[in-house]
Amino acid sequence: MAVDQDRLMEFLGRFVTDLGATMAAGSVVVGHRLGLYRALADSPATPAELADRTGTDPRYVAEWLAGQAAGGYVRHDASTGSYSMTEEQAFALADPNGPNLPAAFVLALGTLRAEPRITEAFRTGGGVGWHEHHPDVFTGTEAFFRPGYTANLVPSWLPALDGVVAKLKAGGRVADVGCGLGTSSVLLAKAYPASTIVGSDYHERSIDLARKHAAEAGVTDRTSFEVASAQTFTGSGYDLVTAFDCLHDMGDPLGAARHIREALTPVGTWLIVEPNAGDTVADNLNPVGRMYYSASTFLCVPNGLSQPGGYALGAQAGENAIRQLTTDAGFTRFRRAAETPFNLIYEVRP
Ligand SMILES: C[S@@+](CC[C@H](N)C(=O)[O-])C[C@H]1O[C@@H](n2cnc3c(N)ncnc32)[C@H](O)[C@@H]1O
């Protein structure tokens, strides 16, 4: 078999881009933590000026800026030696009300710290629980997901569900399972002050942070949190159960689905938010699929395999698999209610 030089060069080009992005990931996190993006977004700067503005070392900042410019994350003016950010770069990387893209790199770096354990898990078939990961996984996930939930949950996802907004306005009972750091619970509590929200997650450290976030948001009168799995959370007669980006992580999603059905009123609604995915591997061979399959290899599948149940849906489960699961659990109605480039939103009813 002869190596085709053109195809080889094309593949090497892809490799250089990927390796550059991988090596740059740490720099994105450094720039985020030290406020380098925010300070550069304020106004153009030379390395010395940016270092001065941020209380950092100019030699490090010079190297960092050059790498950022090479990657297209900032602009470089060769005539003055200064750097700047376009409106778009500033919005994506530095605006507190923007998509907070550096948080995704916090999540990625935190995730990759588990590589030795994941390599070993490939050999043994054993699991690695969500709780066993570096804390940056939890805070990075929250910070990366929050802008999407803020932009979509109250303005578009809940209104896409049949009759749910009216119930929440009047004062509904909500269970937010696998709630992580409680972002979705707090958004619901702020938008619907007459409702009560019970957030739960099996991960104690996440629940501690969820309680803290609810206190900071001033919604403790209508929120409570418990350390409990989606298969065991307490309470019944819920008008709405929500599961944000967690069903595919569970070792027993069928057990969770059955428990959720029992916890809902007969006319209640289960809102499932899952990663956007097609039904087959071939459907997902694109950049979003690559990101999700890779994260799933380190986070979702190992967590599923660490729990009783035997399922490991993974982050690219697709609509058919989720529909089948809810049907197996006894739900009779299933509908895709909304979608974004990153998420599919399902309405499931008894
Ligand atoms: C990707 S995070 C999503 C967290 C949060 N819902 C969000 O959207 O920001 C997945 C969450 O599922 C939780 N989880 C995993 N297995 C669980 C289970 N069996 N029961 C409840 N929560 C679980 C993890 O602890 C983690 O908080």
Side-chain angles (χ1 to χ4, degrees):
M1 289 274 287
V3 170
D4 180 295
Q5 285 303 315
D6 290 341
R7 285 210 297 266
L8 178 63
M9 291 316 288
E10 188 188 325
F11 184 77
L12 289 179
R14 174 189 283 255
F15 156 79
V16 170
T17 303
D18 287 354
L19 184 61
T22 305
M23 295 300 283
S27 289
V28 175
V29 173
V30 168
H32 179 59
R33 289 203 207 281
L34 296 176
L36 301 180
Y37 291 119
R38 277 193 300 281
L40 188 64
D42 284 345
S43 61
T46 62
E49 287 164 347
L50 188 62
D52 190 47
R53 252 181 236 170
T54 52
T56 52
D57 180 86
R59 182 64 193 90
Y60 278 105
V61 171
E63 209 73 0
W64 182 84
L65 278 166
Q68 294 297 303
Y73 279 37
V74 310
R75 284 193 308 189
H76 175 52
D77 183 342
S79 64
T80 62
S82 76
Y83 294 83
S84 62
M85 293 173 86
T86 64
E87 290 295 327
E88 296 73 26
Q89 289 164 339
F91 174 69
L93 296 166
D95 188 334
N97 299 314
N100 196 10
L101 299 190
F105 289 86
V106 173
L107 166 60
L109 286 197
T111 300
L112 297 181
R113 287 173 188 253
E115 178 275 318
R117 300 194 63 168
I118 299 299
T119 301
E120 186 56 18
F122 268 69
R123 290 199 181 95
T124 64
V128 179
W130 181 260
H131 63 282
E132 297 177 72
H133 283 276
H134 188 275
D136 281 353
V137 170
F138 320 133
T139 52
T141 298
E142 192 278 336
F144 182 43
F145 286 3
R146 188 185 337 121
Y149 293 168
T150 304
N152 294 299
L153 175 58
V154 173
S156 54
W157 294 347
L158 291 170
L161 308 178
D162 191 18
V164 166
V165 168
K167 284 186 198 169
L168 296 180
K169 278 188 177 156
R173 284 171 46 72
V174 183
D176 185 14
V177 307
C179 72
L181 275 60
T183 308
S184 46
S185 311
V186 169
L187 283 172
L188 286 161
K190 279 165 93 171
Y192 304 105
S195 288
T196 54
I197 324 292
V198 184
S200 59
D201 197 293
Y202 93 99
H203 182 219
E204 188 168 3
R205 187 182 174 123
S206 290
I207 289 297
D208 288 345
L209 291 169
R211 288 194 176 111
K212 189 164 163 274
H213 289 161
E216 284 163 4
V219 294
T220 47
D221 59 331
R222 48 196 185 273
T223 53
S224 60
F225 293 93
E226 65 170 336
V227 178
S229 73
Q231 295 81 14
T232 62
F233 69 94
T234 59
S236 58
Y238 289 108
D239 300 295
L240 175 68
V241 174
T242 55
F244 291 88
D245 219 303
C246 60
L247 188 63
H248 66 268
D249 288 304
M250 296 175 193
D252 185 11
L254 185 57
R258 288 191 176 124
H259 187 63
I260 288 166
R261 190 169 178 276
E262 282 163 16
L264 281 169
T265 71
V267 291
T269 301
W270 182 15
L271 166 66
I272 305 177
V273 176
E274 277 288 296
N276 199 332
D279 289 317
T280 67
V281 170
D283 290 336
N284 300 322
L285 299 184
N286 53 58
V288 172
R290 183 189 196 190
M291 187 269 295
Y292 274 131
Y293 279 127
S294 304
S296 187
T297 305
F298 271 58
L299 297 172
C300 314
V301 168
N303 184 70
L305 294 179
S306 77
Q307 297 181 353
Y311 257 85
L313 283 167
Q316 292 286 269
E319 181 166 340
N320 283 344
I322 304 297
R323 180 197 300 269
Q324 186 62 51
L325 185 83
T326 64
T327 306
D328 291 348
F331 287 91
T332 62
R333 286 173 285 175
F334 180 97
R335 180 171 73 88
R336 185 191 292 204
E339 68 182 284
T340 70
F342 282 108
N343 288 114
L344 293 177
I345 291 81
Y346 304 113
E347 178 190 63
V348 187
R349 306 197 65 185

